Amino acid sequence: MKQQSLFSFSILLLFLHSTKTFAQSPAAAPVQAPPVAPVQPPPAPPAQSPSGVQVAPSPGPLDVVKILGKASHFTVFVRLLKATQVDTELFLQLNNTNNGATIFAPSDGAFSGLKVGTLNSLSDGDKIELVKFHIMPTFISTSQFQTVSNPVRTLAGAGNRFALNVTTAGNLVNITTGLTNTTISGTVYTDSRLAIYQVDKVLLPLDMFTPKSPPPAPSPAPAPENPKKAPIIESPVAPKDISGAVSLIVQNHLVLGFVAVGVISAMLSF
């Protein structure tokens, strides 16, 4: 009986100790969701030249056709340069003289924006002037466009017939011709003597693509102050037939002759 009491007391002590231990243990921390990393926007693609490739300067002679060929997207303009032989003129100017050049190169997309048949309607002389209208005979950097005098001079000439105006607004370089309004969309090539800039519209000279008005009709010549009267021409009169009158006169003369002869004969007989 005594052993049973000790066993029961031991169970009671063990129960009390366990209860005290659980009461003193700290409460378990609530389970939290793992932190979510903030969604970052995708990185922006690296800036590229509008033509896809900006050609770096290389040793050797400057060849505009090769530069534009490496840049791509200028096949129509290159074909015009070759057909008009302006590429040869540029090659000699850039490599045999101290003169530079600035070229506004229309992309293939610029030519596709023209009306169908525009280029085919031009004469050979017009095509030469159109190509030269895109070329300035001096080197102009992007910063120097802020100080140019308008209208700028091109290989096609200057003045009202081929007026090309260049203005700037911040980093934009605007080009106007009276028919075309566009901006430089990128630099294709630049060094100390040659600059090639891409434009997305063909620069159309106002004089070449404006319909010409027909010349005025010549005014009639004024009438003379004292006009001479035209001579009056009488209509011809048909000659009268006088053959009958002639015959009668001849007969009368014959009769008179016979009478005279008779009288004379009678007088002689006396």
Side-chain angles (χ1 to χ4, degrees), residues 114-124 126-127 208-209:
L114 295 176
K115 293 182 180 180
V116 177
T118 298
L119 294 180
N120 292 332
S121 65
L122 299 178
S123 65
D124 292 341
D126 288 340
K127 290 178 182 178
M208 183 183 300
F209 288 91

Side-chain angles (χ1 to χ4, degrees), residues 21-210:
T21 301
F22 282 116
Q24 293 178 352
S25 61
V31 179
Q32 297 181 356
V36 179
V39 178
Q40 298 291 338
Q48 294 182 353
S49 166
S51 64
V53 177
Q54 182 171 344
V55 181
S58 60
L62 286 172
D63 192 330
V64 174
V65 169
K66 288 184 178 180
I67 293 173
L68 291 175
K70 291 180 180 179
S72 70
H73 304 300
F74 298 98
T75 54
V76 179
F77 189 57
V78 168
R79 187 165 66 247
L80 282 174
L81 285 169
K82 292 180 178 179
T84 58
Q85 297 183 351
V86 177
D87 62 327
T88 303
E89 182 177 342
L90 280 173
F91 187 87
L92 296 175
Q93 175 178 325
L94 293 171
N95 297 287
N96 295 342
T97 70
N98 294 325
N99 298 329
T102 300
I103 302 175
F104 302 113
S107 62
D108 291 339
F111 282 100
S112 64
L114 295 176
K115 293 182 180 180
V116 177
T118 298
L119 294 180
N120 292 332
S121 65
L122 299 178
S123 65
D124 292 341
D126 288 340
K127 290 178 182 178
I128 293 174
E129 290 183 333
L130 178 63
V131 173
K132 289 187 174 183
F133 189 60
H134 291 75
I135 304 171
M136 298 174 61
T138 55
F139 169 79
I140 303 292
S141 65
T142 53
S143 61
Q144 290 175 324
F145 282 120
Q146 300 176 0
T147 59
V148 296
S149 299
N150 288 312
V152 298
R153 182 174 183 81
T154 67
L155 289 181
N160 295 330
R161 187 164 186 264
F162 292 100
L164 184 69
N165 296 291
V166 180
T167 56
T168 59
N171 294 328
L172 292 178
V173 179
N174 191 68
I175 305 173
T176 58
T177 70
L179 289 177
T180 305
N181 186 15
T182 187
T183 58
I184 291 177
S185 58
T187 300
V188 180
Y189 179 91
T190 184
D191 59 15
S192 60
R193 290 189 298 143
L194 172 65
I196 303 178
Y197 303 108
Q198 175 176 326
V199 291
D200 295 329
K201 289 184 179 180
V202 180
L203 306 180
L204 303 179
L206 181 63
D207 180 77
M208 183 183 300
F209 288 91
T210 301

